[in-house]
Amino acid sequence: MARDVFVAGVGMIPFAKPGASPSYDVMGAQAIRAALQDARLGYGEVQQVYAGYVYGDSCSGQRAAYAVGMSGVPVFNVNNNCSTGSTALFLARQAVASGSVDCALAVGFEQMKPGALGSVYDDRPTPFDRFEAEADALLQVEGVPLALRYFGGAGLAHMQQYGTKLSTFAKIRAKASRHAANNLLALFRQVLTEEDVLNAPVMWPGVMTRLMACPPTCGGAAAVVCSDAFAQRHGLDRSVRIRAQAMTTDRASTFDAHDMRQLVGVEMTRDAARQVYAQAGVGPQDIQVVELHDCFAHNELLTYEALDLCADGGAEKFVLDGDNTYGGRFVTNPSGGLLSKGHPLGATGLAQCTELVQQLRGNADKRQVAGARLALQHNLGLGGACVVTLYERV
């Protein structure tokens, strides 16, 4: 029988633009120290480390961890595209839940370059060959960067089926900026209006402006997870428990459905979310706060439906009714999300974890969601992997 797993400590460092941050190893070490300090625990008590990053050489995790301590514990390097941080957390939680260890640490970091994401290796097949072929078959657009084409195309499919307006995506982006204004660790804290977003440089006419896409970002975040018995022995915080967690990858329908929404992981998200609800014995209506993967405003809208926060086709009304913010049904991305907080790939999932743990502890300052008891996290990586986690205030 799986053991309860508690999040004893979390930490993240302020996110920064490429070229304005410390190196990856420094950011990773800073995040580890922050999480250990929050847990009031020494590195020597950690029994396994899972280090997540996308753009870095092998054993970058050791480079970051060794700056904090060299205790001989296993360090696992994790790379799962944009869901890397949550994959590291999934593995750390699994190790504790299974009884393999009593305390594990997940850390994520990324030192990114400016501009759109691209492949590092050009002398071998890319994992995106099938995705590219399907996108080419579904979309007639040229000169649009890979990720923007995928998520913009998915948003376009929603617009075509349900009549969703471009202004709705702008409202999502404006909401993110209002939330980020209260987050000292967010990269962009300037409040934007819907008009600001619509008047930004056009990346895809009628589909996306620049402000609807998250920026390349550098940063680090970490979490310490442990068993109940370990927490009690060491006097650690036991106020936040991982109630349920699921990780999914693509099904055949990703390609066979011939739908850009499936290509960007809507079914992965729905599968993972429903597994989590079933594990926990709760429904989306029981959740108060959500951190979801808003790499583009379009994906935030699609994810409302995939997480069952609203019905299929109901996302635009969900936004217009204000059900995605304070005073509505769910506060989504109180941190500002990827759109405003930034998206350092390896760190993103653990930054989401940090925000939700602080929310459940009641320590989120001006971002605090009143009465937060259950918090849902969604972290998505194309190629593909999705991790959904439910946290509970104990």
Side-chain angles (χ1 to χ4, degrees):
M1 183 175 178
R3 301 189 297 178
D4 284 345
V5 178
F6 292 85
V7 184
V10 290
M12 64 176 285
I13 64 172
F15 289 175
K17 295 180 180 179
S21 75
S23 62
Y24 73 89
D25 55 315
V26 174
M27 292 188 290
Q30 288 174 339
I32 292 171
R33 291 190 187 100
L36 290 171
Q37 181 177 5
D38 185 56
R40 293 176 305 198
L41 193 71
Y43 183 76
E45 301 295 337
V46 174
Q47 296 164 320
Q48 286 184 358
V49 176
Y50 295 86
Y53 57 94
V54 175
Y55 294 108
D57 288 330
S58 184
C59 293
S60 291
Q62 280 90 332
R63 175 66 186 260
Y66 286 177
V68 181
M70 298 182 68
S71 58
V73 299
V75 178
F76 301 88
N77 291 273
V78 180
N79 181 343
N80 231 0
N81 223 340
C82 301
S83 63
T84 290
S86 287
T87 302
L89 179 66
F90 182 94
L91 293 168
R93 190 271 315 160
Q94 186 172 252
V96 173
S98 70
S100 296
V101 298
D102 289 315
C103 179
L105 184 144
V107 59
F109 48 82
E110 208 71 61
Q111 183 177 348
M112 297 187 71
K113 295 181 178 180
L117 300 180
S119 178
V120 174
Y121 303 103
D122 58 6
D123 62 342
R124 65 204 71 182
T126 168
F128 286 95
D129 279 347
R130 291 188 69 190
F131 292 85
E132 281 289 276
E134 182 66 9
D136 286 343
L138 293 172
L139 299 171
Q140 305 301 316
V141 60
E142 295 181 357
V144 176
L146 180 146
L148 193 155
R149 188 160 63 108
Y150 288 169
F151 288 101
L156 178 61
H158 199 279
M159 297 168 84
Q160 291 171 337
Q161 181 171 355
Y162 297 114
T164 309
K165 302 177 189 65
L166 186 64
S167 60
T168 303
F169 300 120
K171 285 181 171 66
I172 290 171
R173 178 64 181 88
K175 179 268 298 177
S177 74
R178 294 193 300 273
H179 291 185
N182 293 318
N183 186 359
L184 298 177
L185 299 178
L187 177 56
F188 296 120
R189 299 183 61 209
Q190 178 184 354
V191 174
L192 302 170
T193 65
E194 178 186 331
E195 291 71 28
D196 291 332
V197 180
L198 290 172
N199 291 330
V202 174
M203 305 298 289
W204 185 347
V207 178
M208 189 179 297
T209 69
R210 181 176 293 168
L211 286 174
M212 295 176 187
C214 73
T217 318
C218 303
V224 176
V225 296
C226 65
S227 67
D228 190 20
F230 183 92
Q232 292 193 56
R233 282 200 309 274
H234 292 81
L236 306 185
D237 190 324
R238 296 162 57 230
S239 61
V240 178
R241 176 175 65 154
I242 297 179
R243 173 83 173 264
Q245 190 176 48
M247 179 176 168
T248 54
T249 59
D250 290 295
R251 294 180 181 270
S253 58
T254 297
F255 305 108
D256 295 346
H258 306 303
D259 185 327
M260 285 301 300
R261 290 164 291 189
Q262 297 290 49
L263 202 66
V264 301
V266 164
E267 186 170 9
M268 282 198 298
T269 293
R270 182 165 281 128
D271 282 353
R274 291 182 178 176
Q275 287 181 42
V276 162
Y277 297 145
Q279 287 175 29
V282 304
Q285 72 278 359
D286 299 308
I287 291 160
Q288 292 80 42
V289 56
V290 181
E291 282 280 315
L292 59 80
H293 198 88
D294 60 326
C295 51
F296 295 84
H298 304 60
N299 199 51
E300 176 157 343
L301 182 137
L302 297 173
T303 303
Y304 296 151
E305 298 178 8
L307 293 176
D308 290 328
L309 304 183
C310 64
D312 284 351
E316 183 166 67
K317 184 178 187 299
F318 183 81
V319 173
L320 297 180
D321 288 349
D323 282 334
N324 62 348
T325 188
Y326 297 88
R329 292 170 57 201
F330 309 94
V331 180
T332 59
N333 293 333
S335 68
L338 285 58
L339 287 166
S340 286
K341 183 174 81 267
H343 182 24
L345 276 60
T348 288
L350 288 157
Q352 292 176 320
C353 169
T354 297
E355 174 68 23
L356 293 179
V357 168
Q358 298 293 8
Q359 288 284 347
L360 293 178
R361 288 177 178 173
N363 294 336
D365 300 323
K366 293 180 180 180
R367 303 186 312 284
Q368 185 63 51
V369 176
R373 186 180 64 84
L374 289 175
L376 191 72
Q377 178 195 354
H378 162 263
N379 192 198
L380 175 77
L382 293 187
C386 179
V387 182
V388 173
T389 307
L390 182 70
Y391 303 86
E392 177 182 40
R393 185 180 75 228
V394 179

